[in-house]
Amino acid sequence: MTPPPDMNEVVGSHDLLLVTLDTLRHDVAQELAAAGRIPNLARHLPGGVWERRHAPGSFTYASHQAMFAGFLPTPAAPGPHPRLFAARFAGSETTASGTFVYDTPDLVSGLAAVGYRTVCIGGVGFFNQQGPLGSVLPGMFQESHWEPEFGVASPTSFEAQVACAEKVVAELPQDQRLFLFVNVSALHQPNWFHLPGATREAGDTRDTHAAALEYVDRHMGRLLAAAGSRRPCFAIVCSDHGTAYGEDGYSGHRIGHDVVWTVPYAHFFVDGTR
Protein backbone atom coordinates (compact mmCIF):
# COMPACT_ATOMS: atom_id res chain seq x y z
CA MET A 1 0.00 0.00 0.00
CA THR A 2 1.32 3.45 -0.93
CA PRO A 3 2.00 5.53 2.22
CA PRO A 4 -0.40 8.46 2.27
CA PRO A 5 1.13 11.93 2.01
CA ASP A 6 0.26 14.69 4.47
CA MET A 7 -2.64 16.24 2.60
CA ASN A 8 -2.45 19.40 4.70
CA GLU A 9 0.85 20.08 2.94
CA VAL A 10 -0.49 19.08 -0.47
CA VAL A 11 -3.76 21.03 -0.43
CA GLY A 12 -3.03 24.66 -1.20
CA SER A 13 0.38 24.03 -2.74
CA HIS A 14 -0.56 21.52 -5.48
CA ASP A 15 -3.19 21.18 -8.12
CA LEU A 16 -5.37 18.10 -7.63
CA LEU A 17 -6.60 15.55 -10.16
CA LEU A 18 -9.13 12.79 -9.54
CA VAL A 19 -9.72 10.35 -12.40
CA THR A 20 -12.32 7.62 -12.06
CA LEU A 21 -11.93 4.88 -14.66
CA ASP A 22 -15.61 4.04 -14.55
CA THR A 23 -16.33 0.30 -14.27
CA LEU A 24 -12.68 -0.83 -14.47
CA ARG A 25 -12.05 -4.22 -12.89
CA HIS A 26 -9.01 -4.72 -10.67
CA ASP A 27 -8.00 -8.05 -12.23
CA VAL A 28 -8.04 -6.66 -15.77
CA ALA A 29 -6.13 -3.54 -14.75
CA GLN A 30 -3.49 -5.60 -12.97
CA GLU A 31 -3.07 -8.05 -15.84
CA LEU A 32 -2.55 -5.27 -18.37
CA ALA A 33 -0.02 -3.49 -16.15
CA ALA A 34 1.98 -6.70 -15.68
CA ALA A 35 1.93 -7.41 -19.42
CA GLY A 36 3.18 -3.95 -20.36
CA ARG A 37 -0.06 -3.08 -22.16
CA ILE A 38 -0.74 0.20 -20.31
CA PRO A 39 2.70 1.85 -20.17
CA ASN A 40 1.53 5.42 -19.59
CA LEU A 41 -0.38 4.44 -16.47
CA ALA A 42 2.03 1.75 -15.27
CA ARG A 43 5.00 4.09 -15.05
CA HIS A 44 3.14 6.06 -12.37
CA LEU A 45 2.02 3.03 -10.35
CA PRO A 46 4.16 2.41 -7.25
CA GLY A 47 6.15 -0.72 -8.10
CA GLY A 48 4.31 -0.89 -11.41
CA VAL A 49 1.22 -2.43 -9.81
CA TRP A 50 -2.24 -1.23 -8.90
CA GLU A 51 -3.25 -1.20 -5.28
CA ARG A 52 -6.15 -3.56 -4.59
CA ARG A 53 -9.00 -1.73 -2.89
CA HIS A 54 -12.69 -2.11 -2.12
CA ALA A 55 -15.13 0.24 -3.82
CA PRO A 56 -17.37 2.47 -1.67
CA GLY A 57 -20.33 1.60 -3.90
CA SER A 58 -21.38 -0.99 -6.49
CA PHE A 59 -22.43 1.49 -9.17
CA THR A 60 -21.46 4.97 -10.34
CA TYR A 61 -23.89 7.20 -8.46
CA ALA A 62 -23.45 5.60 -5.05
CA SER A 63 -19.67 5.32 -5.38
CA HIS A 64 -19.14 8.92 -6.47
CA GLN A 65 -21.41 10.30 -3.75
CA ALA A 66 -19.16 8.48 -1.27
CA MET A 67 -15.89 9.58 -2.92
CA PHE A 68 -17.00 13.20 -3.06
CA ALA A 69 -17.69 12.90 0.68
CA GLY A 70 -14.06 11.83 1.20
CA PHE A 71 -14.57 8.06 1.17
CA LEU A 72 -12.18 6.90 -1.55
CA PRO A 73 -11.83 3.15 -2.22
CA THR A 74 -10.63 1.42 0.94
CA PRO A 75 -7.43 -0.69 1.04
CA ALA A 76 -8.37 -4.38 0.83
CA ALA A 77 -6.76 -5.26 4.16
CA PRO A 78 -7.76 -4.92 7.82
CA GLY A 79 -7.85 -1.30 8.98
CA PRO A 80 -8.60 1.29 10.06
CA HIS A 81 -7.03 3.16 7.16
CA PRO A 82 -6.40 6.92 7.47
CA ARG A 83 -8.19 8.88 4.76
CA LEU A 84 -6.74 11.59 2.55
CA PHE A 85 -9.83 13.80 2.88
CA ALA A 86 -12.60 13.95 5.46
CA ALA A 87 -15.40 16.22 6.57
CA ARG A 88 -15.08 17.27 10.19
CA PHE A 89 -16.97 14.55 12.04
CA ALA A 90 -16.81 13.78 15.75
CA GLY A 91 -15.53 10.30 16.49
CA SER A 92 -14.19 9.54 12.99
CA GLU A 93 -11.69 6.67 13.26
CA THR A 94 -10.18 7.27 9.81
CA THR A 95 -9.37 10.97 10.21
CA ALA A 96 -5.66 11.28 11.01
CA SER A 97 -3.10 14.06 11.38
CA GLY A 98 -2.34 13.93 7.65
CA THR A 99 -6.00 14.10 6.61
CA PHE A 100 -7.23 17.30 4.99
CA VAL A 101 -10.33 18.12 7.04
CA TYR A 102 -13.02 20.43 5.66
CA ASP A 103 -16.09 22.03 7.20
CA THR A 104 -18.46 21.59 4.27
CA PRO A 105 -20.70 18.63 3.32
CA ASP A 106 -18.39 17.37 0.57
CA LEU A 107 -14.81 17.47 -0.65
CA VAL A 108 -15.61 19.52 -3.75
CA SER A 109 -17.04 22.46 -1.82
CA GLY A 110 -14.35 21.98 0.84
CA LEU A 111 -11.65 22.56 -1.76
CA ALA A 112 -13.56 25.49 -3.25
CA ALA A 113 -13.64 27.04 0.24
CA VAL A 114 -9.83 27.11 0.35
CA GLY A 115 -9.48 28.68 -3.07
CA TYR A 116 -9.60 25.86 -5.62
CA ARG A 117 -11.38 26.14 -8.94
CA THR A 118 -13.44 22.93 -9.10
CA VAL A 119 -14.04 21.48 -12.57
CA CYS A 120 -15.91 18.31 -13.58
CA ILE A 121 -15.48 16.65 -16.98
CA GLY A 122 -18.25 14.08 -17.04
CA GLY A 123 -18.51 10.78 -18.83
CA VAL A 124 -21.31 8.32 -18.01
CA GLY A 125 -24.97 9.28 -17.78
CA PHE A 126 -24.89 10.36 -14.14
CA PHE A 127 -22.79 13.35 -15.29
CA ASN A 128 -24.67 14.31 -18.47
CA GLN A 129 -26.65 17.21 -16.92
CA GLN A 130 -29.64 16.21 -19.07
CA GLY A 131 -32.07 15.84 -16.18
CA PRO A 132 -32.29 16.25 -12.41
CA LEU A 133 -30.47 13.00 -11.59
CA GLY A 134 -27.73 13.62 -14.15
CA SER A 135 -27.16 17.06 -12.63
CA VAL A 136 -26.60 16.10 -8.97
CA LEU A 137 -22.92 15.08 -9.18
CA PRO A 138 -21.74 17.69 -11.71
CA GLY A 139 -23.76 20.29 -9.79
CA MET A 140 -21.27 20.02 -6.91
CA PHE A 141 -18.62 21.71 -9.08
CA GLN A 142 -18.15 25.36 -9.99
CA GLU A 143 -17.69 24.35 -13.63
CA SER A 144 -18.97 21.22 -15.36
CA HIS A 145 -18.55 19.90 -18.88
CA TRP A 146 -20.37 17.13 -20.73
CA GLU A 147 -21.24 16.48 -24.35
CA PRO A 148 -22.32 13.35 -26.20
CA GLU A 149 -18.77 12.78 -27.46
CA PHE A 150 -17.71 12.23 -23.81
CA GLY A 151 -20.33 9.52 -23.27
CA VAL A 152 -20.35 5.74 -23.28
CA ALA A 153 -21.45 5.39 -26.92
CA SER A 154 -18.49 7.34 -28.32
CA PRO A 155 -15.44 5.36 -29.51
CA THR A 156 -13.35 8.54 -29.04
CA SER A 157 -14.73 9.56 -25.65
CA PHE A 158 -11.50 9.81 -23.69
CA GLU A 159 -9.51 11.78 -26.22
CA ALA A 160 -12.42 14.24 -26.37
CA GLN A 161 -12.39 14.51 -22.58
CA VAL A 162 -8.63 15.07 -22.58
CA ALA A 163 -8.98 17.87 -25.14
CA CYS A 164 -11.53 19.50 -22.85
CA ALA A 165 -9.17 19.16 -19.87
CA GLU A 166 -6.31 20.72 -21.84
CA LYS A 167 -8.55 23.69 -22.67
CA VAL A 168 -9.65 24.10 -19.05
CA VAL A 169 -6.05 24.12 -17.82
CA ALA A 170 -4.86 26.49 -20.53
CA GLU A 171 -7.53 29.06 -19.71
CA LEU A 172 -6.90 29.20 -15.95
CA PRO A 173 -4.88 32.06 -14.44
CA GLN A 174 -1.47 30.78 -13.39
CA ASP A 175 -2.05 31.50 -9.70
CA GLN A 176 -5.44 29.73 -9.58
CA ARG A 177 -5.34 26.33 -7.87
CA LEU A 178 -7.31 23.61 -9.69
CA PHE A 179 -9.23 20.53 -8.61
CA LEU A 180 -9.97 18.65 -11.82
CA PHE A 181 -12.24 15.62 -11.83
CA VAL A 182 -12.59 13.38 -14.89
CA ASN A 183 -15.07 10.50 -15.09
CA VAL A 184 -13.77 8.24 -17.86
CA SER A 185 -16.63 6.48 -19.65
CA ALA A 186 -14.65 4.32 -22.11
CA LEU A 187 -14.54 1.16 -19.93
CA HIS A 188 -18.29 1.18 -19.36
CA GLN A 189 -20.52 -0.79 -21.66
CA PRO A 190 -20.73 -0.60 -24.62
CA ASN A 191 -16.99 -1.13 -25.10
CA TRP A 192 -16.93 -3.75 -27.89
CA PHE A 193 -15.83 -1.16 -30.47
CA HIS A 194 -12.41 -0.78 -28.80
CA LEU A 195 -11.32 -4.29 -29.86
CA PRO A 196 -10.58 -4.77 -33.58
CA GLY A 197 -12.76 -7.53 -34.96
CA ALA A 198 -15.35 -7.40 -32.19
CA THR A 199 -18.96 -6.86 -33.20
CA ARG A 200 -22.04 -5.23 -31.72
CA GLU A 201 -23.85 -8.56 -32.06
CA ALA A 202 -21.24 -10.42 -29.98
CA GLY A 203 -21.36 -7.65 -27.39
CA ASP A 204 -18.96 -6.68 -24.62
CA THR A 205 -16.53 -9.14 -23.08
CA ARG A 206 -13.65 -9.11 -20.65
CA ASP A 207 -11.36 -8.76 -23.68
CA THR A 208 -13.17 -5.68 -25.00
CA HIS A 209 -13.03 -4.23 -21.50
CA ALA A 210 -9.25 -4.70 -21.57
CA ALA A 211 -9.02 -3.14 -25.02
CA ALA A 212 -10.90 -0.10 -23.72
CA LEU A 213 -8.29 0.33 -20.99
CA GLU A 214 -5.52 0.18 -23.59
CA TYR A 215 -7.35 2.90 -25.52
CA VAL A 216 -7.52 5.08 -22.40
CA ASP A 217 -3.84 4.53 -21.68
CA ARG A 218 -2.87 5.80 -25.13
CA HIS A 219 -4.24 9.23 -24.19
CA MET A 220 -3.53 9.26 -20.43
CA GLY A 221 -0.12 10.86 -20.88
CA ARG A 222 -1.75 13.99 -22.33
CA LEU A 223 -4.12 14.30 -19.38
CA LEU A 224 -1.36 13.91 -16.79
CA ALA A 225 0.88 16.34 -18.68
CA ALA A 226 -1.86 18.96 -18.67
CA ALA A 227 -2.64 18.40 -14.99
CA GLY A 228 1.01 18.89 -14.00
CA SER A 229 1.83 21.70 -16.41
CA ARG A 230 1.18 24.66 -14.08
CA ARG A 231 2.59 23.39 -10.79
CA PRO A 232 3.09 19.98 -9.14
CA CYS A 233 -0.13 17.99 -9.11
CA PHE A 234 -1.34 15.26 -6.78
CA ALA A 235 -3.25 12.69 -8.83
CA ILE A 236 -5.62 9.93 -7.78
CA VAL A 237 -6.55 7.38 -10.45
CA CYS A 238 -8.98 4.63 -9.51
CA SER A 239 -12.11 2.77 -10.46
CA ASP A 240 -15.48 3.46 -8.87
CA HIS A 241 -16.60 -0.18 -9.19
CA GLY A 242 -15.99 -3.20 -11.39
CA THR A 243 -18.37 -5.19 -13.55
CA ALA A 244 -19.17 -8.83 -14.23
CA TYR A 245 -18.84 -10.64 -17.55
CA GLY A 246 -20.60 -13.88 -16.71
CA GLU A 247 -18.79 -14.80 -13.47
CA ASP A 248 -21.11 -17.09 -11.46
CA GLY A 249 -23.84 -16.20 -13.92
CA TYR A 250 -23.70 -12.46 -13.22
CA SER A 251 -23.45 -9.66 -15.74
CA GLY A 252 -23.02 -5.94 -15.10
CA HIS A 253 -22.76 -4.20 -11.74
CA ARG A 254 -24.93 -2.89 -8.89
CA ILE A 255 -24.53 -6.40 -7.50
CA GLY A 256 -22.55 -7.84 -4.58
CA HIS A 257 -19.90 -9.80 -6.50
CA ASP A 258 -16.16 -9.63 -5.85
CA VAL A 259 -15.38 -8.47 -9.40
CA VAL A 260 -17.64 -5.47 -8.75
CA TRP A 261 -16.39 -4.58 -5.27
CA THR A 262 -12.65 -5.02 -5.97
CA VAL A 263 -11.10 -2.06 -7.79
CA PRO A 264 -7.67 -0.72 -8.79
CA TYR A 265 -6.32 2.41 -7.11
CA ALA A 266 -3.21 4.58 -7.28
CA HIS A 267 -2.12 8.02 -6.12
CA PHE A 268 1.05 9.76 -7.15
CA PHE A 269 2.59 13.15 -7.88
CA VAL A 270 2.94 14.61 -11.36
CA ASP A 271 5.28 17.51 -12.03
CA GLY A 272 5.59 18.52 -15.65
CA THR A 273 6.95 21.98 -14.79
CA ARG A 274 10.56 20.83 -14.40
Side-chain angles (χ1 to χ4, degrees):
M1 185 174 67
T2 308
D6 187 337
M7 295 308 296
N8 296 298
E9 296 180 359
V10 173
V11 173
S13 63
H14 290 59
D15 283 345
L16 303 173
L17 172 68
L18 172 60
V19 179
T20 53
L21 302 170
D22 204 294
T23 315
L24 177 59
R25 293 167 52 130
H26 174 268
D27 56 353
V28 171
Q30 198 74 293
E31 287 171 14
L32 266 60
R37 292 170 59 184
I38 49 171
N40 291 310
L41 279 164
R43 69 187 184 91
H44 293 284
L45 305 179
V49 299
W50 293 95
E51 185 178 340
R52 183 175 181 268
R53 292 202 173 196
H54 290 148
S58 64
F59 71 110
T60 299
Y61 187 79
S63 191
H64 282 82
Q65 281 282 16
M67 286 193 276
F68 291 157
F71 298 96
L72 296 169
T74 305
H81 301 285
R83 286 189 287 141
L84 300 179
F85 311 100
R88 196 175 304 279
F89 186 82
S92 171
E93 295 184 352
T94 54
T95 300
S97 60
T99 302
F100 171 69
V101 178
Y102 47 90
D103 291 297
T104 64
D106 58 84
L107 171 62
V108 184
S109 59
L111 290 171
V114 295
Y116 278 80
R117 178 68 175 172
T118 62
V119 181
C120 168
I121 299 177
V124 304
F126 288 114
F127 295 93
N128 67 14
Q129 305 176 69
Q130 294 185 341
L133 183 58
S135 300
V136 173
L137 297 173
M140 295 180 176
F141 292 79
Q142 295 165 328
E143 179 182 336
S144 298
H145 300 269
W146 189 88
E147 55 189 68
E149 194 176 358
F150 298 173
V152 298
S154 170
T156 57
S157 60
F158 187 53
E159 54 208 279
Q161 290 179 304
V162 171
C164 179
E166 290 171 330
K167 186 172 186 291
V168 165
V169 171
E171 293 177 353
L172 274 181
Q174 183 63 32
D175 61 349
Q176 174 65 64
R177 300 293 187 267
L178 171 66
F179 171 48
L180 176 63
F181 165 73
V182 184
N183 172 252
V184 178
S185 66
L187 284 304
H188 196 281
Q189 69 267 21
N191 56 44
W192 62 269
F193 42 70
H194 289 295
L195 181 65
T199 64
R200 185 190 303 273
E201 291 71 27
D204 298 341
T205 64
R206 197 176 182 279
D207 289 339
T208 64
H209 186 80
L213 180 57
E214 290 181 292
Y215 159 71
V216 168
D217 186 74
R218 288 196 290 272
H219 302 278
M220 184 60 71
R222 284 175 52 204
L223 177 60
L224 296 177
S229 63
R230 303 162 68 247
R231 63 180 52 81
C233 174
F234 179 71
I236 300 167
V237 180
C238 64
S239 177
D240 55 340
H241 58 79
T243 198
Y245 287 106
E247 290 84 4
D248 299 314
Y250 288 103
S251 295
H253 39 274
R254 200 162 57 83
I255 55 175
H257 196 282
D258 187 61
V259 297
V260 173
W261 286 107
T262 307
V263 295
Y265 172 96
H267 63 238
F268 48 86
F269 290 93
V270 180
D271 188 357
T273 64
R274 296 178 182 178

